[in-house]
Amino acid sequence: METTMTGISALQWAKEISKLPDGCFTIAFFPYSRQKGEASEKLAVKEGCTFRTQLPEERFSIDSENFFLFNDGNGDPKMCYRILIRYMGFPQDGYKLHKIDWL
């Protein structure tokens, strides 16, 4: 049975879990290419992620609220458009992926 979460709730969970020692989450999203101006058809899945804040060298041409910033399992800074996040998994339920509802 598929479980659904609102996008706002999922992002808040990700932020709070990232504050815990060894707290991390899994995220699945469609990567967006700004050069091509389109999203990929292939879902990207990143495990062992933690929420992060904007880095000093990052400048956004659009409102930063459109982005979700995170570090992947290797500690590399990543970001994606919030609206393109499709699934998130959290430790309390074994990282089972929850469908994200943005409406």
Side-chain angles (χ1 to χ4, degrees), residues 39-100:
S40 170
E41 293 180 13
K42 185 175 179 177
L43 207 58
V45 178
K46 305 286 183 183
E47 298 176 343
C49 301
T50 56
F51 174 77
R52 70 173 178 89
T53 57
Q54 185 174 341
L55 299 173
E57 66 271 11
E58 289 179 321
R59 300 285 181 259
F60 302 118
S61 59
I62 63 170
D63 186 359
S64 63
E65 287 297 312
N66 291 308
F67 296 112
F68 180 65
L69 307 174
F70 63 97
N71 292 317
D72 66 11
N74 297 324
D76 297 325
K78 303 287 182 187
M79 70 178 173
C80 65
Y81 278 99
R82 289 178 175 203
I83 197 74
L84 295 177
I85 298 171
R86 291 296 177 259
Y87 300 93
M88 291 183 83
F90 303 98
Q92 67 269 26
D93 56 3
Y95 299 98
K96 178 179 183 243
L97 293 177
H98 299 271
K99 183 171 176 39
I100 304 302

Side-chain angles (χ1 to χ4, degrees), residues 24-50:
C24 62
F25 57 89
T26 298
I27 186 170
F29 61 96
F30 290 107
Y32 183 83
S33 169
R34 286 181 279 189
Q35 285 89 9
K36 294 180 183 176
E38 61 186 37
S40 170
E41 293 180 13
K42 185 175 179 177
L43 207 58
V45 178
K46 305 286 183 183
E47 298 176 343
C49 301
T50 56

